[in-house]
Amino acid sequence: MNGRITTGMLQRNILADLQRSTSQLSRTQAKLSSGKEITRPSDDPAGTAKALSLRESLRGTQQHAKNVDDAITWTDATESALSSMTDIVQRARTLVVNGASDGTDQTSRDAIAKEIDQLAESLKEQANMRYAGRQLFSGTATTTAPYDAGSDAYAGNTGQMAREIGPGVSVNVNTTADTILGSGQAAGDDKLLDTLRDISDHLRAGDGASLRGTDLDRIDKGVESLLTARATNGALTNRLESASSRLAAVEEMTVKSLSDTEDADLAKTMIDLTTQTSAYQAALKAGANIVQSSLMDFLR
Amino acid sequence: MDGQLGQLSDAAAAEYATLTAPNGKVHLIAKELGQLNGAISDALQTGSTPNDLMDRRDLLFDQLSELGQVSLTPQDNGSVTVAFGDAATPLVDGTTVTWPQTLTTPNGRLGALKQLSDPGGTLDTYRKSLSAAARTLADSVNDLHASPPFFTFTDGSEAATLKVGVTASQIVTSTTADPGANDLAGKIAGLRSGSADAAYRTFVSTLGADVNAVNREQANAKALTQSVDDRRTSVNGVSLDEEMTNLVRFQRAYQASARSMSTMDEMLEQLIMRTGRVGL
């Protein structure tokens, strides 16, 4: 292209070529030492945008996994409280059967009535169980105990506690005590507390007919409502556990495709580095030879 | 990040001001060019060729054209009129120097600095889109968490002034007063992948694409510069081989003429010393 090649031109061309090789080498070295294909957005703008949205969905998945873990411990705590309640109600049922028989005298019935009262208090204690400082059975009024000592009235609310376990997927994790235990005799809602207080009254009054009749049915209904609550809660736990493993799989997939997008292919980069190093050395050697020699070396 | 962009912009503006100030680099080069113009036309009038002055002037032209677009108009008296950038009056006309002048698009290094730091320039645009992304984030969260506003900022410099405006105890998680309710928190979490994320992602990929394009353009410009420089040196550069060859050629010519002198001398010697020995 150029008619006449001058010494300065040669030198400048060699310098420019060396510069190009060095900058390629430095980029490859940066890739190797950081392990990343993309170290700054300009390396691959489209890849950067993809990596950003992948990282965003990774964060989302991780947060959902945390929500699921929280929800699972919540349902586990609920289950353990409900299971204790079932034991208590079963014990109450045995006592009612004992007390209902006509062979039981009034002293024994009074004693049984006392125990029933204690069992009702235990039910309230179980309902007042807290998990991580929050009331399990109070709805969304998590700082208010569902039952105050000396009162059977439910003090919580019916709020649903939602946990987001996937994009746009929420589950309600809480069980409220009013659906199982109710608000006692004053409300007359036929729930467990109402039933137990009535049974205690019937025992003290020696009303064997009511005990044998409606009271047993009512306590059975109470057991049933407990079991229903436990079944719902258990199904929720199952669902949460499958969500947890699904989220783990999604997270792994996202991490993999993030790594595909922004991590350097080590073998390829290594080979690139070797190729570029030898090209650089060849350029250096050729440059050294050309720059040194001139016609002057061949004339005496 | 907004602060860094601001510092960068300030640094570019400061360098532009230093270069173009009275007695800055442009002015100093222009003054020396004016003096050289005078000296060269004087020398030409007396019939001599001031090669070293012209070389010095060429070097100054090179330096000046690094800073901005330069066009040269040679005059009959040997002086050169220099137009610089899009300045209204020639920078150097004979021995007259007109500086400072207003430049809009001077090109060269000054043009780049100006484009970086000017309002509406590259850095300003980046700061604006960063602020727009910050504004979208703040607005979308504040729409849900309005009292007190979750984010506070100053209009016009959102990216620099964006702050969380609430303390931990002021954060509202629900539209109801129940401590366990989280409907609002859930809605805010639902903003993920929304317009604020998209705005920031667009900003990052635009920035990346810009830098990528600039890198490519730089490589092209380098190749072009080198090719033009090669053209120039192929005309006015020095090839050692060529000079050596000329040296040998002239040396040989000198030897040849010396040899012809000695031949002539020998002939004369023959003529004078050996012929017609009259009177001996």
Side-chain angles (χ1 to χ4, degrees), chain B residues 10 47 62 66 69 82 92 96 105 117 125 129 131 153 163-164 174 227 243 253 269:
Chain B
D10 290 348
D62 280 357
E66 257 175 38
Q69 176 72 44
V82 182
V92 184
T96 319
T105 47
S117 57
T125 315
S129 26
S131 276
F153 52 84
K163 275 199 193 78
V164 173
S174 167
S227 142
E243 303 305 324
E269 188 190 15

Side-chain angles (χ1 to χ4, degrees), chain B residues 182-252:
Chain B
N182 60 355
D183 53 332
L184 211 53
K187 273 189 197 153
I188 293 177
L191 293 175
R192 184 200 312 281
S193 310
S195 52
D197 277 350
Y200 183 67
R201 207 165 45 229
T202 314
F203 169 68
V204 171
S205 53
T206 313
L207 186 66
D210 282 358
V211 175
N212 205 352
V214 165
N215 280 341
R216 225 173 19 242
E217 275 169 29
Q218 190 206 24
N220 289 350
K222 253 189 192 162
L224 270 178
T225 317
Q226 205 185 350
S227 142
V228 171
D229 235 10
D230 280 354
R231 291 258 162 186
R232 187 170 79 158
T233 34
S234 83
V235 176
N236 72 357
V238 174
S239 164
L240 274 182
D241 293 352
E242 204 175 288
E243 303 305 324
M244 277 308 292
T245 320
N246 280 340
L247 197 64
V248 171
R249 193 152 61 91
F250 293 139
Q251 197 180 9
R252 288 293 177 207

